[in-house]
Amino acid sequence: DAGVIQSPRHEVTEMGQEVTLRCKPISGHNSLFWYRQTMMRGLELLIYFNNNVPIDDSGMPEDRFSAKMPNASFSTLKIQPSEPRDSAVYFCASSYIGRGNEQFFGPGTRLTVL
Amino acid sequence: GDSVTQMEGPVTLSEEAFLTINCTYTATGYPSLFWYVQYPGEGLQLLLKATKADDKGSNKGFEATYRKETTSFHLEKGSVQVSDSAVYFCALTSSNDYKLSFGAGTTVTVRA
């Protein structure tokens, strides 16, 4: 079992640039979650999808952030334009709602915006 | 709304010491309770879980019991090792919601 796969693992970019983070959930899972982790704010849920449909995006900080899930095996989180305060570790997690509900996390993408 | 409160860290222990991390929760309905662990530079991993009152979750020497009467899910380990150094998160999910509500995390450092 490959687990949740995220890419890239590290991203360094300059302010104003577009950043795209990618996630491949565990095969067979029906829900996907994007989180952001910082020292100041801890772990924050940004958005989650069920059966590829966004259910709750109330955690998305602002319009610069967008997320898509075009199919059951792929999701993206895009930041455009990026700002230094977006620097954080971004985690993707997947789960099978209705079977325990525990979430399985990817290794994260460490984003640094200069 | 649902919330989780866990003891603040950091916690520093010597090897073979007893570890307790307190966790209490507020939730509607009958939540499932979890402990996740995050090792340095890694994502969160599920450590153990309990889905109903009086259930005991256990894994890798860690244990936690779902106490409905005290709305608690305290994590314990009888003899910690240096490799247990990590951040520990208590979390819950309500029966009618997909989302996990996380505590703030407790950093544990075990010294040889």
Side-chain angles (χ1 to χ4, degrees):
Chain A
D1 192 345
V4 176
I5 299 172
Q6 291 187 247
S7 65
R9 292 295 308 276
H10 301 274
E11 176 80 29
V12 180
T13 190
E14 293 188 346
M15 183 174 63
Q17 296 299 304
E18 177 179 296
V19 175
T20 299
L21 311 181
R22 296 173 176 79
C23 175
K24 177 178 169 56
I26 292 173
S27 178
H29 282 186
N30 59 10
S31 292
L32 183 140
F33 305 79
W34 282 101
Y35 292 89
R36 177 172 68 177
Q37 186 178 41
T38 61
M39 289 292 292
M40 290 295 294
R41 301 171 69 95
L43 198 61
E44 303 173 276
L45 175 65
L46 301 177
I47 185 171
Y48 74 91
F49 295 83
N50 183 246
N51 293 323
N52 313 338
V53 176
I55 302 300
D56 185 350
D57 65 355
S58 60
M60 296 285 262
E62 48 198 276
D63 291 347
R64 298 185 296 107
F65 285 69
S66 62
K68 294 182 180 179
M69 192 165 186
N71 57 62
S73 58
F74 184 66
S75 177
T76 59
L77 177 68
K78 184 177 294 186
I79 309 172
Q80 166 64 18
S82 58
E83 296 182 3
R85 60 194 169 116
D86 301 330
S87 297
V89 181
Y90 290 81
F91 290 105
C92 175
S94 71
S95 69
Y96 188 90
I97 300 300
R99 188 194 303 155
N101 290 8
E102 58 260 40
Q103 295 180 18
F104 296 83
F105 282 74
T109 296
R110 182 173 294 277
L111 173 65
T112 302
V113 183
L114 302 174
Chain B
D2 297 343
S3 66
V4 174
T5 303
Q6 62 183 102
M7 64 183 282
E8 293 186 14
V11 175
T12 302
L13 303 164
S14 297
E15 263 193 320
E16 301 183 3
F18 184 87
L19 171 67
T20 299
I21 304 176
N22 290 340
C23 171
T24 57
Y25 67 89
T26 302
T28 55
Y30 302 94
S32 294
L33 303 174
F34 306 88
W35 276 101
Y36 280 82
V37 59
Q38 184 177 28
Y39 299 104
E42 299 184 12
L44 279 71
Q45 302 174 25
L46 179 65
L47 181 59
L48 54 84
K49 68 175 184 179
T51 58
K52 61 183 187 296
D54 299 325
D55 268 2
K56 177 186 284 188
S58 61
N59 186 25
K60 300 182 180 180
F62 289 89
E63 293 183 340
T65 301
Y66 188 143
R67 300 287 188 199
K68 194 171 188 298
E69 64 276 12
T70 55
T71 62
S72 65
F73 193 54
H74 305 321
L75 183 68
E76 296 181 337
K77 185 173 185 180
S79 177
V80 294
Q81 305 299 313
V82 172
S83 57
D84 294 324
S85 299
V87 182
Y88 293 83
F89 293 90
C90 187
L92 71 82
T93 181
S94 289
S95 54
N96 60 348
D97 197 354
Y98 306 149
K99 295 190 292 188
L100 272 175
S101 296
F102 282 96
T106 302
T107 300
V108 173
T109 302
V110 180
R111 294 184 173 166

